[in-house]
Every structure is written in structure tokens, then in C-alpha cells.
Amino acid sequence: MNIIMLGAPGSGKGTQATRIADVYNIPHISTGDIFRENIKNGTELGKRAQEYMDKGELVPDEFVCDLVIDRIHHDDCANGYVLDGFPRTIPQAEIFDKAIANAGEKIDVALLMELEDEILIERMEGRRVCAKCGAGYHVKNMPSKVEGICDECGGELIIRKDDNIETFKNRLVEYNEKTAPLVPYYEKQGLVKKIDGKKGLEPCWADITGILDSLK
Ligand code: AMP
């Protein structure tokens, strides 16, 4: 199953994508995680991406598309994948659509996590990530067992550099301008399924499994 996660920053895409990957046994491909890994490793791509990420801006399309198109053709994607944070613009979606059509593949569903801006900001403020493995937490909604320590790997939980109010507001502006147009784009292809993010983690998960199981 080839799945795209749509939704504003902080809408819960990453959390649900991680769970989808675990349960449906497909890789979770997060372009944000790929960039953060490159930043950590001091690669050329990481250095160039960081300039944009620190300001809450999108990284230019040409840095992103080839990277994802190459990634989905790795062996572990034979049964599908869940894309989180890609595509982020109409040109990215068009390039991606063309590439997968050429390979005789298609997207099965685009899951849209819907949430109001005030709740997004509230969620962002409590968000923590593991500095070592990237696992996501929330101080209230999804706390780790031991405060400040990752359940998965024992790494330190930190606040993402772009999770501060100024940068986050910029990310929301970028989302509304450049990413939100993907909703009508995929609606035209009949692929969008909406999830009411307000309902919370478990009810959203129940909706998602209902949708994905109906596609099997
Ligand atoms: P995320 O972890 O998905 O919230 O992404 C963090 C940041 O990485 C974004 O604010 C962008 O600067 C950059 N980024 C991630 N994915 C993309 C993408 N598909 N296109 C452009 N920039 C991206």
C-alpha cells in the first residue's frame, strides 16, 4: 500500500505514520527526518537544508524529489510505503506522480490530518523528539515512561530547533501557501480521506486502520 500523509505541522502525521509503518510493515519515509539525519551527519545536503529549516521555510523542490524517488525504489518498499512530509508542493507532487506512473505504480490513499491552528500551536509547544533515534513524544498527550528519556533507545528527548513559536508560525504560513493546495490536487484523483485530528490519538488511529483495511 502506497500512502501519503497530508496535514499541517503538528497535526499528528508523524505519529500516525510511525504506527502505520509498524502495523502494516512498510517503511515510514519522512523527508524531515532525512534532512535532520543529514544535518546531524554534517553532509552537504544537511548544510544546505538547514538554512531553510531554521527559518521554517521549505527546502527547494530540487533537493527533495530525487531523494524520495530513489528511496521508494529500495527493496524494503516492495510492499509499499508511508510518506510523511512529502510531497509538500504541487511541483513535488507532479514530479512524483510522473515518476511513479513511469514505474507502473500509483498512490493508494492520501490521509489528511485536519486540525485548527490554535491546537497545532498547543501541540507544537509540548512536542519532544529523541536526539538519537528521532522518535516523537508529547509532554501531555504522549509522554515517555521516564521524563526526558526515549522509551525506544534511552536517548535524550529534546525540543526540535524549528519548534519555537516564530519558526512554527512561518511553517504554518508555508503550509497554507504551498502545501494545502495538495488537498484539492489529490481530491481530484479521488485519493483524499479526512481524519479529524481533534479526536485524539486512539480515535484517529481507529479511523486510519478502518480506511487502510478497506483498501486491502
Ligand atoms: P517536518 O519534519 O516534516 O516537519 O519537516 C521539517 C522541515 O524540513 C520543514 O519545515 C522543511 O524545511 C523541511 N522539509 C521536510 N520535507 C520537505 C519537503 N518535502 N519539501 C521541502 N521542505 C521539506
Side-chain angles (χ1 to χ4, degrees):
M1 217 169 348
N2 301 334
I3 304 164
I4 288 179
M5 302 301 290
L6 293 174
S11 60
K13 299 189 299 295
T15 306
Q16 299 291 355
T18 305
R19 206 156 167 185
I20 292 171
D22 273 356
V23 171
Y24 293 87
N25 206 18
I26 51 177
H28 169 200
I29 302 173
S30 153
T31 41
D33 283 351
I34 295 173
F35 289 135
R36 280 184 287 276
E37 193 60 27
N38 274 274
I39 291 171
K40 205 159 86 181
N41 295 332
T43 69
E44 204 45 48
L45 174 67
K47 281 180 200 150
R48 294 169 79 179
Q50 185 161 30
E51 288 173 38
Y52 299 92
M53 291 170 76
D54 282 353
K55 290 187 271 188
E57 290 172 7
L58 291 185
V59 172
D61 292 338
E62 62 267 28
F63 293 0
V64 190
C65 294
D66 288 349
L67 192 144
V68 177
I69 292 163
D70 174 69
R71 178 66 188 87
I72 61 156
H73 290 116
H74 286 194
D75 289 348
D76 64 342
C77 293
N79 293 325
Y81 44 80
V82 52
L83 292 181
D84 163 17
F86 180 90
R88 257 323 210 279
T89 64
I90 295 280
Q92 287 180 20
E94 288 172 343
I95 291 169
F96 186 70
D97 272 359
K98 220 182 266 169
I100 58 169
N102 284 342
E105 297 157 15
K106 63 176 180 50
I107 297 299
D108 296 297
V109 67
L111 297 173
L112 171 64
M113 305 290 299
E114 293 188 299
L115 211 60
E116 290 132 41
D117 283 8
E118 302 81 70
I119 308 180
L120 293 171
I121 290 173
E122 210 180 284
R123 289 222 184 145
M124 176 278 292
E125 285 172 334
R127 190 147 78 161
R128 300 290 180 270
V129 291
C130 174
K132 208 158 134 198
C133 74
Y137 296 88
H138 189 279
V139 289
K140 257 202 329 236
N141 307 335
M142 210 170 67
S144 57
K145 289 187 188 115
V146 180
E147 199 186 321
I149 303 289
C150 177
D151 294 347
E152 307 289 328
C153 74
E156 183 196 0
L157 299 188
I158 56 165
I159 298 175
R160 252 170 66 169
K161 206 173 170 192
D162 55 353
D163 275 349
N164 64 73
I165 191 70
E166 281 319 309
T167 312
F168 192 78
K169 279 189 178 155
N170 227 5
R171 288 164 66 198
L172 286 180
V173 171
E174 288 276 86
Y175 175 79
N176 287 322
E177 271 177 18
K178 296 178 182 161
T179 309
L182 289 177
V183 176
Y185 176 90
Y186 285 115
E187 267 172 343
K188 269 193 213 123
Q189 301 182 31
L191 292 176
V192 175
K193 300 279 183 206
K194 295 182 178 173
I195 313 290
D196 178 1
K198 264 200 313 295
K199 287 181 170 178
L201 218 68
E202 293 306 324
C204 282
W205 175 243
D207 289 350
I208 289 173
T209 51
I211 292 165
L212 297 184
D213 290 345
S214 76
L215 295 173
K216 270 188 191 167

Tab-separated table of all heavy atoms in Angstrom, residues 167-197:
chain	number	residue	atom	x	y	z
A	167	THR	N	9.305	30.357	14.377
A	167	THR	CA	9.571	29.461	13.240
A	167	THR	C	8.319	28.654	12.913
A	167	THR	O	7.993	28.441	11.745
A	167	THR	CB	10.739	28.501	13.576
A	167	THR	OG1	11.792	29.282	14.122
A	167	THR	CG2	11.240	27.768	12.362
A	168	PHE	N	7.603	28.252	13.965
A	168	PHE	CA	6.413	27.431	13.737
A	168	PHE	C	5.349	28.210	12.966
A	168	PHE	O	4.707	27.675	12.061
A	168	PHE	CB	5.859	26.918	15.069
A	168	PHE	CG	4.829	25.838	14.888
A	168	PHE	CD1	5.219	24.536	14.598
A	168	PHE	CD2	3.481	26.123	14.985
A	168	PHE	CE1	4.272	23.536	14.409
A	168	PHE	CE2	2.525	25.127	14.800
A	168	PHE	CZ	2.926	23.837	14.522
A	169	LYS	N	5.188	29.493	13.314
A	169	LYS	CA	4.187	30.315	12.606
A	169	LYS	C	4.555	30.405	11.130
A	169	LYS	O	3.693	30.356	10.259
A	169	LYS	CB	4.101	31.707	13.229
A	169	LYS	CG	3.242	31.701	14.477
A	169	LYS	CD	2.974	33.108	14.954
A	169	LYS	CE	2.078	33.082	16.179
A	169	LYS	NZ	2.250	34.280	17.014
A	170	ASN	N	5.851	30.520	10.867
A	170	ASN	CA	6.326	30.546	9.483
A	170	ASN	C	6.021	29.232	8.767
A	170	ASN	O	5.651	29.213	7.598
A	170	ASN	CB	7.836	30.749	9.489
A	170	ASN	CG	8.224	31.816	8.515
A	170	ASN	OD1	7.368	32.462	7.910
A	170	ASN	ND2	9.517	31.986	8.333
A	171	ARG	N	6.180	28.142	9.501
A	171	ARG	CA	5.898	26.832	8.904
A	171	ARG	C	4.416	26.720	8.564
A	171	ARG	O	4.052	26.116	7.556
A	171	ARG	CB	6.321	25.712	9.870
A	171	ARG	CG	7.851	25.594	9.950
A	171	ARG	CD	8.304	24.795	11.154
A	171	ARG	NE	7.918	23.414	11.112
A	171	ARG	CZ	7.886	22.608	12.170
A	171	ARG	NH1	8.235	23.065	13.358
A	171	ARG	NH2	7.527	21.370	12.044
A	172	LEU	N	3.565	27.313	9.406
A	172	LEU	CA	2.124	27.285	9.113
A	172	LEU	C	1.797	28.110	7.864
A	172	LEU	O	0.978	27.709	7.043
A	172	LEU	CB	1.307	27.808	10.298
A	172	LEU	CG	1.191	26.886	11.513
A	172	LEU	CD1	0.349	27.541	12.602
A	172	LEU	CD2	0.575	25.542	11.124
A	173	VAL	N	2.482	29.267	7.729
A	173	VAL	CA	2.268	30.103	6.541
A	173	VAL	C	2.702	29.322	5.297
A	173	VAL	O	1.985	29.251	4.292
A	173	VAL	CB	3.056	31.438	6.649
A	173	VAL	CG1	3.026	32.203	5.340
A	173	VAL	CG2	2.491	32.297	7.783
A	174	GLU	N	3.878	28.695	5.382
A	174	GLU	CA	4.370	27.886	4.254
A	174	GLU	C	3.371	26.774	3.931
A	174	GLU	O	3.099	26.494	2.776
A	174	GLU	CB	5.729	27.248	4.605
A	174	GLU	CG	6.886	28.214	4.660
A	174	GLU	CD	7.477	28.475	3.276
A	174	GLU	OE1	6.944	29.362	2.583
A	174	GLU	OE2	8.446	27.827	2.898
A	175	TYR	N	2.843	26.149	4.981
A	175	TYR	CA	1.882	25.060	4.773
A	175	TYR	C	0.655	25.575	4.013
A	175	TYR	O	0.235	24.991	3.020
A	175	TYR	CB	1.454	24.430	6.112
A	175	TYR	CG	0.371	23.396	5.899
A	175	TYR	CD1	0.703	22.121	5.450
A	175	TYR	CD2	-0.978	23.712	6.078
A	175	TYR	CE1	-0.284	21.178	5.187
A	175	TYR	CE2	-1.970	22.774	5.816
A	175	TYR	CZ	-1.616	21.508	5.371
A	175	TYR	OH	-2.590	20.579	5.092
A	176	ASN	N	0.088	26.677	4.518
A	176	ASN	CA	-1.149	27.172	3.906
A	176	ASN	C	-0.933	27.620	2.466
A	176	ASN	O	-1.786	27.394	1.608
A	176	ASN	CB	-1.747	28.296	4.747
A	176	ASN	CG	-2.358	27.736	6.018
A	176	ASN	OD1	-2.962	26.664	6.011
A	176	ASN	ND2	-2.155	28.419	7.138
A	177	GLU	N	0.245	28.228	2.217
A	177	GLU	CA	0.506	28.718	0.859
A	177	GLU	C	0.878	27.611	-0.111
A	177	GLU	O	0.414	27.571	-1.233
A	177	GLU	CB	1.681	29.708	0.887
A	177	GLU	CG	1.256	31.130	1.129
A	177	GLU	CD	2.466	32.061	1.216
A	177	GLU	OE1	3.566	31.698	0.764
A	177	GLU	OE2	2.274	33.155	1.774
A	178	LYS	N	1.764	26.737	0.341
A	178	LYS	CA	2.385	25.815	-0.628
A	178	LYS	C	1.910	24.367	-0.527
A	178	LYS	O	1.906	23.659	-1.526
A	178	LYS	CB	3.913	25.847	-0.448
A	178	LYS	CG	4.485	27.214	-0.763
A	178	LYS	CD	5.961	27.279	-0.548
A	178	LYS	CE	6.489	28.678	-0.817
A	178	LYS	NZ	7.803	28.883	-0.207
A	179	THR	N	1.525	23.939	0.672
A	179	THR	CA	1.185	22.515	0.833
A	179	THR	C	-0.325	22.272	0.790
A	179	THR	O	-0.763	21.276	0.204
A	179	THR	CB	1.779	21.960	2.151
A	179	THR	OG1	3.176	22.302	2.208
A	179	THR	CG2	1.656	20.455	2.227
A	180	ALA	N	-1.107	23.198	1.372
A	180	ALA	CA	-2.564	22.991	1.396
A	180	ALA	C	-3.154	22.776	-0.016
A	180	ALA	O	-4.094	21.984	-0.166
A	180	ALA	CB	-3.249	24.149	2.114
A	181	PRO	N	-2.602	23.420	-1.082
A	181	PRO	CA	-3.156	23.146	-2.424
A	181	PRO	C	-3.051	21.677	-2.862
A	181	PRO	O	-3.686	21.274	-3.834
A	181	PRO	CB	-2.307	24.048	-3.346
A	181	PRO	CG	-1.832	25.156	-2.463
A	181	PRO	CD	-1.615	24.534	-1.111
A	182	LEU	N	-2.279	20.881	-2.117
A	182	LEU	CA	-2.217	19.457	-2.465
A	182	LEU	C	-3.525	18.742	-2.145
A	182	LEU	O	-3.799	17.678	-2.693
A	182	LEU	CB	-1.094	18.759	-1.682
A	182	LEU	CG	0.326	19.113	-2.088
A	182	LEU	CD1	1.313	18.412	-1.178
A	182	LEU	CD2	0.579	18.710	-3.529
A	183	VAL	N	-4.334	19.325	-1.251
A	183	VAL	CA	-5.593	18.663	-0.882
A	183	VAL	C	-6.514	18.604	-2.111
A	183	VAL	O	-6.901	17.501	-2.535
A	183	VAL	CB	-6.251	19.328	0.349
A	183	VAL	CG1	-7.593	18.680	0.642
A	183	VAL	CG2	-5.317	19.230	1.563
A	184	PRO	N	-6.833	19.762	-2.757
A	184	PRO	CA	-7.648	19.648	-3.982
A	184	PRO	C	-6.952	18.850	-5.090
A	184	PRO	O	-7.616	18.152	-5.857
A	184	PRO	CB	-7.889	21.105	-4.408
A	184	PRO	CG	-6.981	21.941	-3.584
A	184	PRO	CD	-6.643	21.161	-2.353
A	185	TYR	N	-5.625	18.929	-5.116
A	185	TYR	CA	-4.860	18.185	-6.151
A	185	TYR	C	-5.141	16.675	-6.019
A	185	TYR	O	-5.447	16.001	-7.001
A	185	TYR	CB	-3.369	18.487	-5.969
A	185	TYR	CG	-2.439	17.717	-6.886
A	185	TYR	CD1	-2.075	18.222	-8.133
A	185	TYR	CD2	-1.914	16.477	-6.502
A	185	TYR	CE1	-1.213	17.523	-8.970
A	185	TYR	CE2	-1.052	15.775	-7.333
A	185	TYR	CZ	-0.708	16.298	-8.557
A	185	TYR	OH	0.134	15.597	-9.385
A	186	TYR	N	-5.060	16.147	-4.788
A	186	TYR	CA	-5.303	14.712	-4.609
A	186	TYR	C	-6.802	14.395	-4.553
A	186	TYR	O	-7.188	13.269	-4.840
A	186	TYR	CB	-4.574	14.186	-3.364
A	186	TYR	CG	-3.092	14.045	-3.597
A	186	TYR	CD1	-2.176	14.825	-2.902
A	186	TYR	CD2	-2.601	13.149	-4.539
A	186	TYR	CE1	-0.813	14.713	-3.138
A	186	TYR	CE2	-1.236	13.035	-4.781
A	186	TYR	CZ	-0.355	13.815	-4.080
A	186	TYR	OH	0.989	13.701	-4.326
A	187	GLU	N	-7.614	15.388	-4.170
A	187	GLU	CA	-9.068	15.157	-4.191
A	187	GLU	C	-9.531	14.870	-5.619
A	187	GLU	O	-10.380	14.020	-5.860
A	187	GLU	CB	-9.820	16.366	-3.615
A	187	GLU	CG	-10.099	16.199	-2.126
A	187	GLU	CD	-10.669	17.443	-1.454
A	187	GLU	OE1	-10.570	18.545	-2.044
A	187	GLU	OE2	-11.173	17.298	-0.316
A	188	LYS	N	-8.940	15.602	-6.572
A	188	LYS	CA	-9.303	15.381	-7.986
A	188	LYS	C	-9.005	13.946	-8.413
A	188	LYS	O	-9.654	13.417	-9.299
A	188	LYS	CB	-8.505	16.347	-8.884
A	188	LYS	CG	-9.234	17.636	-9.121
A	188	LYS	CD	-8.607	18.439	-10.249
A	188	LYS	CE	-8.760	19.910	-9.938
A	188	LYS	NZ	-7.515	20.658	-9.900
A	189	GLN	N	-8.028	13.343	-7.755
A	189	GLN	CA	-7.690	11.947	-8.089
A	189	GLN	C	-8.484	10.961	-7.222
A	189	GLN	O	-8.261	9.752	-7.285
A	189	GLN	CB	-6.191	11.699	-7.883
A	189	GLN	CG	-5.310	12.595	-8.732
A	189	GLN	CD	-3.819	12.284	-8.522
A	189	GLN	OE1	-3.423	11.164	-8.246
A	189	GLN	NE2	-2.989	13.297	-8.658
A	190	GLY	N	-9.369	11.501	-6.374
A	190	GLY	CA	-10.208	10.655	-5.518
A	190	GLY	C	-9.432	9.941	-4.410
A	190	GLY	O	-9.857	8.893	-3.930
A	191	LEU	N	-8.311	10.527	-3.988
A	191	LEU	CA	-7.443	9.805	-3.053
A	191	LEU	C	-7.544	10.275	-1.604
A	191	LEU	O	-7.036	9.601	-0.702
A	191	LEU	CB	-5.970	9.952	-3.502
A	191	LEU	CG	-5.593	9.248	-4.804
A	191	LEU	CD1	-4.153	9.559	-5.190
A	191	LEU	CD2	-5.773	7.742	-4.653
A	192	VAL	N	-8.189	11.431	-1.361
A	192	VAL	CA	-8.126	12.023	-0.017
A	192	VAL	C	-9.139	11.408	0.945
A	192	VAL	O	-10.319	11.279	0.619
A	192	VAL	CB	-8.330	13.558	-0.090
A	192	VAL	CG1	-8.384	14.166	1.308
A	192	VAL	CG2	-7.223	14.209	-0.904
A	193	LYS	N	-8.657	11.016	2.121
A	193	LYS	CA	-9.531	10.595	3.215
A	193	LYS	C	-9.195	11.499	4.394
A	193	LYS	O	-8.023	11.599	4.782
A	193	LYS	CB	-9.269	9.137	3.610
A	193	LYS	CG	-9.501	8.155	2.488
A	193	LYS	CD	-10.969	7.823	2.339
A	193	LYS	CE	-11.174	6.787	1.251
A	193	LYS	NZ	-12.497	6.856	0.653
A	194	LYS	N	-10.238	12.135	4.960
A	194	LYS	CA	-10.002	13.105	6.028
A	194	LYS	C	-10.097	12.458	7.407
A	194	LYS	O	-11.005	11.666	7.660
A	194	LYS	CB	-11.027	14.247	5.925
A	194	LYS	CG	-10.843	15.032	4.648
A	194	LYS	CD	-11.796	16.192	4.548
A	194	LYS	CE	-11.487	16.946	3.253
A	194	LYS	NZ	-12.434	17.991	2.946
A	195	ILE	N	-9.168	12.841	8.277
A	195	ILE	CA	-9.164	12.358	9.665
A	195	ILE	C	-9.300	13.592	10.554
A	195	ILE	O	-8.532	14.546	10.418
A	195	ILE	CB	-7.809	11.674	10.002
A	195	ILE	CG1	-7.368	10.684	8.920
A	195	ILE	CG2	-7.823	11.039	11.385
A	195	ILE	CD1	-8.177	9.441	8.834
A	196	ASP	N	-10.239	13.521	11.502
A	196	ASP	CA	-10.442	14.650	12.403
A	196	ASP	C	-9.420	14.561	13.548
A	196	ASP	O	-9.603	13.811	14.509
A	196	ASP	CB	-11.883	14.595	12.945
A	196	ASP	CG	-12.160	15.717	13.919
A	196	ASP	OD1	-11.247	16.549	14.159
A	196	ASP	OD2	-13.283	15.762	14.447
A	197	GLY	N	-8.342	15.352	13.425
A	197	GLY	CA	-7.230	15.295	14.372
A	197	GLY	C	-7.617	15.663	15.797
A	197	GLY	O	-6.926	15.284	16.748
